[in-house]
């Protein structure tokens, strides 16, 4: 059954209060009854002793008793619920409460039986007489029998005391339940209100209102955390949404230029403005290749960005790989008359050779692409205890400071590179970063416009 938090919490509080009060009441009741019964019994015993002592003092030598005084004691005892009978040492009656006032004695006995039966129907009590011997200077002078309701007797005052205690417990119980209801309600409200707020906002976000945020602060840590998490989630979703829009826009923009050029070339040839000679057709071919390269790059990026990008790692010498790649760029290097330096030494790494090779193809091709004629390309291999560093330095056009934070983003190109029509689509560095990240490495750049750039790739050594 799904109950809301408020009801559930309130009920829980009330249940706890109820169980506690019941337990305490039961225990209290048991203890109070037990000790009070003992107290009543002791008290009775003490009263009996007092009666015995009082009667003993009324003995006047040679079997003579102060009957009047004994009667006074007997009547007072009767009023206290004790029926006494005094005997001398010959077992002859000296004074007997039942003879003095039999009616009253009967009434007292009946009354006591009635009171006790009403309250303790399970205790089979009855009237009993307990004999106490009387001594005077070590001589036995007689006996007194004290008749009472046993095994214990509680008078109206005693019972009233127990009733009062029980009533107090009942009052405390009812009060605790009420308090539990109120506090449970307040606590539940304090808990459920921010949760409802979070849920409502999460629902609004789910329906597409990605700019919505939860602006309430809760002093309950978990709810605070939930709020922050939902807000962060919304932030991420919003960013992704913005990114998706920008990406679509950028892609359209990237394709529009080569496709427009191609179309205008073809139009001109169809309209007879241009002759479809080899040079024109080659230009069309170049534009088509450019578009194809862009599609291939996007496809590659898509593959590399797959979260489950599987790396097939092997141990290989990165310096050999770099040397081979540099040789592959020989044609362009010679064309631009670039001076290449490489501190070649054997350096083993454990990585995905194909993918790492893609990283350096992109970095080297950029370095050459953005180098001036007669520039320098310097590849430096170094290592620390944990990592291998590869620096690729060029003294080409450099990158403006405000472009630096963005150049690893997809389709990002600096104005400088756009103006030069260098041909890239701004995907090469994104691919490089994706691959390096998958290797738990790092890639960063230092650059200054017109001075040059240094791209550094850091690959951890123990990637087992
Ligand atoms: P592209 O294919 O356009 O070169 P990249 O993702 O490889 O795309 O690079 C993104 C942008 O970063 C480039 O368009 C260029 O503006 C800038 N860039 C990259 N490498 C260099 C470099 N070595 N020197 C100057 N600018 C660079």
């Amino acid at each position: 059954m799904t109950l809301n938090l408020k009801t559930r919490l309130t009920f829980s509080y009330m249940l706890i209060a109820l169980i506690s009060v019941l337990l305490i009441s039961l225990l209290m009741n048991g203890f109070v009854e037990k000790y009070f019964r003992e107290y009543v019994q002791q008290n009775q015993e003490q009263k009996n002793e007092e009666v015995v002592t009082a009667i003993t003092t009324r003995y006047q030598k040679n079997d003579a008793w102060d009957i009047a005084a004994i009667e006074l004691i007997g009547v007072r005892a009767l009023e206290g619920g004790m029926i006494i009978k005094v005997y001398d040492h010959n077992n002859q009656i000296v004074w007997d409460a039942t003879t003095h006032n039999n009616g009253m004695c009967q009434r007292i006995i009946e009354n006591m039986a009635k009171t006790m039966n009403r309250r303790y129907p399970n205790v089979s009590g009855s009237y009993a007489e307990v004999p106490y011997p009387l001594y005077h200077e070590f001589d036995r002078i007689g006996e007194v029998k004290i008749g009472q309701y046993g095994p214990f007797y509680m008078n109206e005052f005693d019972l009233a005391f127990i009733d009062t205690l029980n009533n107090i417990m009942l009052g405390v119980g009812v009060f605790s339940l009420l308090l539990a209801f109120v506090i449970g309600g307040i606590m539940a409200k304090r808990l459920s209100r921010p949760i409802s707020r979070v849920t409502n906002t999460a629902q609004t976000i789910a329906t597409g209102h990605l700019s919505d945020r939860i602006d309430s602060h809760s002093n309950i840590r978990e709810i605070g955390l939930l709020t922050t998490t939902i807000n962060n989630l919304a932030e991420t979703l919003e960013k992704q949404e913005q990114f998706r829009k920008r990406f679509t826009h950028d892609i359209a923009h990237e394709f529009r230029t080569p496709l427009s050029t191609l179309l205008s070339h073809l139009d001109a040839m169809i309209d007879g403005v241009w002759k479809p000679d080899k040079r024109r057709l080659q230009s069309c071919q170049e534009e088509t290749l450019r578009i194809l390269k862009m599609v291939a790059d996007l496809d590659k990026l898509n593959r590399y960005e797959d979260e489950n990008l599987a790396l097939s790692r092997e141990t290989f010498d990165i310096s050999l790989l770099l040397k081979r790649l540099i040789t592959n760029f020989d044609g362009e290097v010679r064309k631009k008359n670039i001076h290449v330096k490489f501190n070649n030494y054997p350096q083993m790494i454990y990585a995905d050779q194909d993918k790492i090779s893609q990283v350096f193809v992109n970095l080297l091709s950029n370095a050459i692409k953005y180098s001036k004629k007669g520039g320098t390309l310097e590849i430096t291999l170094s290592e620390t205890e944990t990592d291998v560093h590869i620096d690729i330095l060029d003294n080409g056009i450099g990158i403006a400071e405000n472009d630096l934070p963005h150049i690893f983003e997809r389709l990002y190109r600096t104005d400088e590179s756009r103006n030069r029509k260098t041909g890239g689509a701004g995907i090469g560095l994104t691919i490089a970063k994706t691959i390096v990240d998958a290797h738990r490495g790092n890639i960063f750049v230092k650059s200054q416009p017109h001075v040059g750039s240094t791209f550094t790739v850091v690959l951890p050594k123990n990637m087992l």
Side-chain angles (χ1 to χ4, degrees), residues 326 332-334 336-343 363-380 391-398 450-455:
I326 296 166
E332 281 128 281
V333 166
R334 220 169 289 156
K336 279 187 139 178
N337 194 22
I338 291 170
H339 180 55
V340 181
K341 284 193 221 166
F342 177 32
N343 70 332
L363 293 180
L364 288 170
S365 93
N366 278 351
I368 296 165
K369 199 156 59 177
Y370 300 111
S371 272
K372 293 166 198 156
K373 279 200 167 138
T376 306
L377 170 61
E378 198 173 332
I379 298 113
T380 316
D391 294 316
I392 294 175
L393 174 147
D394 68 68
N395 55 0
I397 61 168
H450 312 298
V451 177
S453 320
T454 306
F455 282 83

Side-chain angles (χ1 to χ4, degrees), residues 18-29:
L18 194 69
I19 292 173
S20 314
V21 169
L22 270 180
L23 265 178
I24 294 172
S25 304
L26 277 176
L27 284 175
M28 277 277 284
N29 212 281

